[in-house]
Amino acid sequence: MITDPNSIDARHLAKWLQHARKAAGKSQQEAADFLKVARTTVTAMEKGERRVQPSELVRLGQLYGRALSELLRAGEPDESFAVQLRAAIAPHEDVTAELQPVAAEFQQLCEDYVEIERLTGSEPIRRYPHERAIPRGEVERAAEDLAVEERQRLGVGDGPIANLRDILEQDVGIRIFFLPMPSRVDAMFAYSERLGACIAVNAKHPDERRRNSIAHEYGHFLTSRRQSEIHLANYFSRIPASERFANAFARSFLMPGPGLSRRFNEIKRARAAASNTAGGVTVADLLTLAHYFFVSFEALTRRLEELRLVTSGTMDRLRQSRFAVREARAIVGLPERPDSSSMLPVRYVYLALQAYRDGILSEGRLARFLRVDRVMARSLALDSGGKADAATIAGARIDRV
């Protein structure tokens, strides 16, 4: 319990109160109504001009869903992170109101990750490659070259990357979260020296689209990490070089030319051997190939067109014929992959559980960090005899809450 309000740094508290309110999607008027005070009083609190009484602090914590320990953290929220995100949102007035609370929660998750690392004495993973400049001229070729280079650096060869999120989190140190967003928003990227490189992906999108969004944002990280980015589907009437680069990087990173060409030609040769003809791939083959590379059918077909492995315009002709991908996948019998839309990274969950088992986090704070209620937090912490599998917990988060 807080007994001495004067022991609290008013400036830091003011920043955390404002940050928590925005993350909760509350207005100053809503906070004022909850406290039964004037809105100007809340404004003064958030400017550090008025001391917050212990009872008010407790009630604001309840309203915002924050433990007192979170509102009283040392230091301040990362303002550079927030400012950059606001700058990225500003041009898109139609989604600004919807994205402000998402951006605030995104930042809060990044802040929480840093706090968990501090509590457990864990060093952040920062295996960042050097930032590259986007060359003038052949942007797509430069993006493909960098994709090949990154694949080699990460040791993933030229085949499919099944565990893309895990590789970028564990081998590079990108903090990747899945959050519900407006449908036309694919992802957000932000970077600060303290919080590191962070990506938020739209949890509502299909798995293949989420993977493409991660690769797209990774392309921005490699070339312009100090510029926040909010990717809106089909937003640009004229695509700038930075977006062309990120798009081309994502295609090449997920579907490398040599690996895709080799696999395509293997299928073609197998068809020829089976039929004693010149051979040729079928739509079923393309569906299977897309499944193999963990990408959408359209992304795979467009990439094959780009590599001149299928006739230009193949995807457009299929669309005109009203080809239904989902029904075709069912006919071919491709298995459904388990949903991997867990909000939290596996390492984040693991460190939170470690802190709880070590007595650093209370059950209530564990629940807050994992974004679940206390009953679920207790259940997860006790799973498997108190040694819950972090991947299982991360996967359970969206389904159970």
Side-chain angles (χ1 to χ4, degrees), residues 30-79:
E30 287 176 300
D33 292 343
F34 188 76
L35 293 178
K36 295 182 172 55
V37 298
R39 185 187 63 80
T40 52
T41 300
V42 174
T43 301
M45 289 178 181
E46 294 187 356
K47 289 183 176 180
E49 296 172 351
R50 178 192 180 279
R51 282 285 180 180
V52 185
Q53 299 302 313
S55 60
E56 293 172 331
L57 189 59
V58 170
R59 285 179 58 76
L60 287 174
Q62 293 171 343
L63 178 63
Y64 303 151
R66 303 290 175 182
L68 295 184
S69 55
E70 293 182 65
L71 298 177
L72 299 175
R73 284 179 181 174
E76 300 177 0
D78 197 314
E79 286 298 319

Coordinates of all heavy atoms in Angstrom, one line a residue, residues 30-79:
E30 N -13.4 10.5 -19.2 CA -13.8 9.2 -18.6 C -13.1 9.0 -17.3 O -13.7 8.5 -16.3 CB -13.5 8.0 -19.6 CG -14.5 8.0 -20.7 CD -14.1 6.9 -21.7 OE1 -13.0 6.9 -22.3 OE2 -14.9 6.0 -21.9
A31 N -11.8 9.3 -17.2 CA -11.0 9.2 -16.0 C -11.6 10.1 -14.9 O -11.7 9.7 -13.8 CB -9.5 9.4 -16.2
A32 N -11.9 11.3 -15.4 CA -12.4 12.3 -14.4 C -13.8 11.9 -13.9 O -14.0 12.0 -12.6 CB -12.6 13.7 -15.1
D33 N -14.6 11.3 -14.7 CA -15.9 10.9 -14.3 C -15.8 9.7 -13.3 O -16.5 9.6 -12.3 CB -16.8 10.4 -15.5 CG -17.2 11.6 -16.4 OD1 -17.1 12.7 -15.9 OD2 -17.6 11.3 -17.5
F34 N -14.8 8.8 -13.5 CA -14.6 7.7 -12.7 C -14.1 8.2 -11.3 O -14.5 7.6 -10.2 CB -13.5 6.8 -13.3 CG -13.4 5.5 -12.6 CD1 -14.3 4.4 -12.7 CD2 -12.2 5.2 -11.8 CE1 -14.1 3.2 -12.1 CE2 -12.1 4.0 -11.1 CZ -13.0 3.0 -11.3
L35 N -13.3 9.2 -11.2 CA -12.8 9.7 -10.0 C -13.7 10.7 -9.3 O -13.5 11.1 -8.2 CB -11.4 10.4 -10.2 CG -10.2 9.5 -10.6 CD1 -9.0 10.4 -10.8 CD2 -9.9 8.5 -9.6
K36 N -14.7 11.2 -10.1 CA -15.7 12.2 -9.7 C -14.9 13.5 -9.4 O -15.1 14.1 -8.3 CB -16.4 11.7 -8.4 CG -17.4 10.6 -8.7 CD -18.2 10.2 -7.5 CE -19.2 9.2 -7.8 NZ -18.7 7.9 -8.4
V37 N -14.1 13.9 -10.4 CA -13.4 15.2 -10.3 C -13.5 15.8 -11.7 O -14.0 15.3 -12.6 CB -11.8 15.0 -10.0 CG1 -11.7 14.3 -8.6 CG2 -11.2 14.1 -11.1
A38 N -13.1 17.1 -11.8 CA -13.1 17.8 -13.0 C -12.1 17.2 -14.0 O -11.0 16.7 -13.6 CB -12.9 19.3 -12.8
R39 N -12.3 17.4 -15.3 CA -11.4 16.9 -16.3 C -10.0 17.6 -16.1 O -9.0 17.1 -16.4 CB -11.9 17.1 -17.7 CG -11.0 16.5 -18.8 CD -11.5 16.9 -20.2 NE -11.5 18.3 -20.4 CZ -10.4 19.0 -20.7 NH1 -9.2 18.4 -20.8 NH2 -10.5 20.3 -20.9
T40 N -10.1 18.9 -15.8 CA -8.9 19.7 -15.6 C -8.0 19.1 -14.5 O -6.8 19.3 -14.5 CB -9.2 21.2 -15.3 OG1 -10.2 21.2 -14.2 CG2 -9.9 21.8 -16.5
T41 N -8.6 18.4 -13.5 CA -7.8 17.8 -12.5 C -7.0 16.7 -13.0 O -5.8 16.5 -12.7 CB -8.8 17.3 -11.4 OG1 -9.5 18.4 -10.8 CG2 -8.0 16.6 -10.3
V42 N -7.6 15.9 -13.9 CA -6.9 14.8 -14.5 C -5.8 15.3 -15.4 O -4.7 14.8 -15.5 CB -7.9 13.9 -15.4 CG1 -7.1 12.8 -16.1 CG2 -8.9 13.2 -14.4
T43 N -6.1 16.4 -16.1 CA -5.1 17.0 -17.0 C -3.9 17.5 -16.1 O -2.7 17.2 -16.5 CB -5.7 18.3 -17.7 OG1 -6.8 17.9 -18.5 CG2 -4.6 18.9 -18.6
A44 N -4.2 18.1 -15.0 CA -3.1 18.5 -14.1 C -2.3 17.3 -13.6 O -1.1 17.4 -13.4 CB -3.7 19.3 -12.9
M45 N -3.0 16.2 -13.3 CA -2.3 15.0 -12.8 C -1.3 14.5 -13.9 O -0.1 14.1 -13.6 CB -3.3 13.9 -12.5 CG -4.1 14.1 -11.3 SD -5.3 12.7 -11.2 CE -6.2 13.1 -9.7
E46 N -1.8 14.5 -15.1 CA -0.9 14.0 -16.2 C 0.2 15.0 -16.7 O 1.0 14.6 -17.5 CB -1.8 13.6 -17.4 CG -2.8 12.5 -17.1 CD -3.6 12.0 -18.3 OE1 -3.4 12.6 -19.4 OE2 -4.3 11.0 -18.2
K47 N 0.1 16.2 -16.1 CA 1.2 17.1 -16.4 C 2.2 17.2 -15.2 O 3.2 17.9 -15.3 CB 0.6 18.5 -16.7 CG -0.1 18.6 -18.0 CD -0.6 20.1 -18.2 CE -1.2 20.3 -19.6 NZ -1.7 21.7 -19.8
G48 N 1.9 16.5 -14.2 CA 2.7 16.5 -13.0 C 2.5 17.8 -12.1 O 3.3 18.1 -11.3
E49 N 1.4 18.5 -12.4 CA 1.1 19.8 -11.7 C 0.3 19.6 -10.4 O 0.1 20.5 -9.7 CB 0.4 20.7 -12.7 CG 1.2 21.1 -13.9 CD 0.4 21.9 -14.9 OE1 -0.8 22.0 -14.7 OE2 1.0 22.4 -15.9
R50 N -0.3 18.4 -10.3 CA -1.1 18.1 -9.1 C -0.7 16.7 -8.6 O -0.6 15.7 -9.3 CB -2.6 18.1 -9.4 CG -3.5 17.8 -8.2 CD -4.9 17.5 -8.7 NE -5.8 17.2 -7.7 CZ -6.0 16.0 -7.2 NH1 -5.2 15.0 -7.5 NH2 -6.9 15.7 -6.3
R51 N -0.4 16.6 -7.3 CA -0.1 15.3 -6.7 C -1.3 14.4 -6.7 O -2.5 14.8 -6.5 CB 0.3 15.5 -5.2 CG 1.7 16.0 -5.0 CD 2.7 14.9 -5.2 NE 4.0 15.4 -5.1 CZ 5.1 14.6 -5.2 NH1 4.9 13.3 -5.6 NH2 6.3 15.1 -5.1
V52 N -1.1 13.1 -7.0 CA -2.1 12.1 -7.1 C -2.3 11.5 -5.7 O -1.3 11.0 -5.1 CB -1.8 11.0 -8.1 CG1 -3.0 10.1 -8.3 CG2 -1.5 11.7 -9.5
Q53 N -3.5 11.5 -5.2 CA -3.7 10.9 -3.8 C -3.7 9.4 -4.0 O -4.0 8.8 -5.0 CB -5.0 11.4 -3.3 CG -5.2 12.9 -3.1 CD -4.1 13.4 -2.2 OE1 -3.8 12.8 -1.1 NE2 -3.4 14.5 -2.6
P54 N -3.2 8.7 -2.9 CA -3.1 7.2 -2.9 C -4.5 6.6 -3.4 O -4.5 5.6 -4.2 CB -2.8 6.8 -1.5 CG -2.0 8.0 -1.0 CD -2.7 9.2 -1.6
S55 N -5.6 7.1 -2.9 CA -6.9 6.5 -3.2 C -7.2 6.7 -4.7 O -7.7 5.8 -5.4 CB -8.0 7.1 -2.4 OG -8.1 8.5 -2.6
E56 N -6.8 7.9 -5.3 CA -7.0 8.1 -6.7 C -6.1 7.2 -7.5 O -6.5 6.7 -8.6 CB -6.6 9.6 -7.0 CG -7.6 10.6 -6.3 CD -7.2 12.0 -6.5 OE1 -5.9 12.3 -6.6 OE2 -8.0 12.9 -6.5
L57 N -4.9 7.0 -7.1 CA -4.0 6.2 -7.8 C -4.5 4.7 -7.9 O -4.4 4.1 -8.9 CB -2.6 6.2 -7.1 CG -1.4 5.5 -7.9 CD1 -1.2 6.1 -9.3 CD2 -0.2 5.6 -7.1
V58 N -5.0 4.2 -6.8 CA -5.6 2.9 -6.7 C -6.8 2.8 -7.7 O -6.9 1.8 -8.5 CB -6.1 2.5 -5.3 CG1 -6.9 1.2 -5.3 CG2 -4.9 2.4 -4.4
R59 N -7.7 3.8 -7.7 CA -8.8 3.8 -8.6 C -8.4 3.9 -10.0 O -9.0 3.2 -10.9 CB -9.8 4.9 -8.2 CG -10.6 4.6 -6.9 CD -11.5 5.7 -6.5 NE -12.5 6.0 -7.5 CZ -13.6 5.3 -7.8 NH1 -13.8 4.2 -7.1 NH2 -14.4 5.7 -8.7
L60 N -7.5 4.7 -10.3 CA -7.0 4.9 -11.7 C -6.4 3.5 -12.2 O -6.5 3.1 -13.4 CB -6.0 6.0 -11.9 CG -6.6 7.4 -11.8 CD1 -5.5 8.5 -11.8 CD2 -7.6 7.7 -12.9
G61 N -5.6 2.9 -11.3 CA -5.1 1.6 -11.7 C -6.2 0.6 -12.0 O -6.1 -0.2 -12.9
Q62 N -7.3 0.6 -11.2 CA -8.4 -0.2 -11.5 C -9.0 0.1 -12.9 O -9.4 -0.8 -13.7 CB -9.5 -0.1 -10.4 CG -9.0 -0.6 -9.1 CD -10.0 -0.3 -8.0 OE1 -10.8 0.6 -8.1 NE2 -9.9 -0.9 -6.8
L63 N -9.2 1.4 -13.2 CA -9.8 1.8 -14.4 C -9.0 1.4 -15.6 O -9.5 1.0 -16.6 CB -10.0 3.3 -14.4 CG -10.6 4.0 -15.7 CD1 -12.0 3.4 -15.9 CD2 -10.6 5.5 -15.6
Y64 N -7.7 1.6 -15.5 CA -6.8 1.3 -16.6 C -6.3 -0.2 -16.7 O -5.6 -0.6 -17.6 CB -5.5 2.2 -16.5 CG -5.8 3.7 -16.5 CD1 -5.0 4.6 -15.9 CD2 -7.0 4.2 -17.1 CE1 -5.2 5.9 -15.8 CE2 -7.2 5.5 -17.1 CZ -6.4 6.4 -16.4 OH -6.6 7.8 -16.4
G65 N -6.7 -1.0 -15.7 CA -6.2 -2.4 -15.6 C -4.8 -2.5 -15.3 O -4.1 -3.4 -15.9
R66 N -4.2 -1.6 -14.5 CA -2.8 -1.6 -14.2 C -2.5 -1.8 -12.7 O -3.3 -1.3 -11.9 CB -2.1 -0.3 -14.6 CG -2.3 0.1 -16.0 CD -1.5 -0.7 -16.9 NE -1.8 -0.4 -18.3 CZ -1.3 -1.1 -19.4 NH1 -0.4 -2.1 -19.2 NH2 -1.6 -0.8 -20.6
A67 N -1.5 -2.6 -12.4 CA -1.1 -2.7 -11.0 C -0.4 -1.5 -10.6 O 0.2 -0.8 -11.5 CB -0.1 -3.9 -10.9
L68 N -0.4 -1.1 -9.3 CA 0.3 0.1 -8.8 C 1.8 0.0 -9.2 O 2.4 1.1 -9.5 CB 0.1 0.2 -7.3 CG -1.4 0.5 -6.9 CD1 -1.4 0.7 -5.4 CD2 -2.0 1.7 -7.6
S69 N 2.3 -1.2 -9.1 CA 3.8 -1.3 -9.4 C 4.1 -0.8 -10.9 O 5.2 -0.4 -11.1 CB 4.2 -2.7 -9.2 OG 3.4 -3.6 -10.0
E70 N 3.1 -1.0 -11.8 CA 3.3 -0.6 -13.1 C 3.3 1.0 -13.3 O 4.1 1.6 -14.0 CB 2.3 -1.2 -14.1 CG 2.4 -2.7 -14.2 CD 1.4 -3.3 -15.1 OE1 1.4 -2.9 -16.3 OE2 0.5 -4.0 -14.7
L71 N 2.4 1.6 -12.5 CA 2.3 3.0 -12.6 C 3.4 3.7 -11.9 O 3.7 4.9 -12.1 CB 0.9 3.5 -11.9 CG -0.3 3.0 -12.6 CD1 -1.6 3.4 -11.9 CD2 -0.4 3.4 -14.1
L72 N 4.1 3.0 -11.0 CA 5.2 3.5 -10.2 C 6.6 3.0 -10.7 O 7.5 3.1 -9.9 CB 5.0 3.2 -8.7 CG 3.7 3.7 -8.1 CD1 3.5 3.2 -6.7 CD2 3.7 5.2 -8.1
R73 N 6.7 2.6 -11.9 CA 7.9 2.1 -12.4 C 9.0 3.3 -12.4 O 8.6 4.5 -12.6 CB 7.8 1.6 -13.9 CG 7.1 0.3 -14.0 CD 7.0 -0.1 -15.4 NE 6.3 -1.4 -15.5 CZ 6.0 -2.0 -16.7 NH1 6.2 -1.4 -17.8 NH2 5.4 -3.2 -16.7
A74 N 10.2 2.9 -12.3 CA 11.3 3.9 -12.4 C 11.4 4.4 -13.8 O 11.1 3.7 -14.8 CB 12.6 3.2 -12.0
G75 N 11.8 5.6 -13.9 CA 11.9 6.2 -15.3 C 10.5 6.6 -15.9 O 9.5 6.7 -15.2
E76 N 10.5 6.8 -17.2 CA 9.3 7.2 -17.9 C 9.1 6.3 -19.1 O 10.0 5.6 -19.5 CB 9.4 8.6 -18.4 CG 9.6 9.6 -17.3 CD 9.8 11.1 -17.8 OE1 9.8 11.2 -19.1 OE2 10.0 12.0 -17.0
P77 N 7.8 6.2 -19.6 CA 7.6 5.5 -20.9 C 8.5 6.1 -22.0 O 8.8 7.3 -21.9 CB 6.1 5.7 -21.1 CG 5.5 6.4 -19.9 CD 6.6 6.9 -19.1
D78 N 8.8 5.3 -23.0 CA 9.6 5.8 -24.0 C 8.9 6.8 -24.9 O 8.1 6.4 -25.8 CB 10.1 4.6 -24.8 CG 11.3 5.0 -25.7 OD1 11.3 6.0 -26.4 OD2 12.3 4.2 -25.7
E79 N 9.1 8.1 -24.8 CA 8.4 9.1 -25.5 C 8.8 9.1 -27.0 O 8.0 9.4 -27.9 CB 8.6 10.5 -24.9 CG 7.9 10.7 -23.6 CD 6.4 10.6 -23.8 OE1 5.8 11.1 -24.8 OE2 5.7 10.0 -22.9

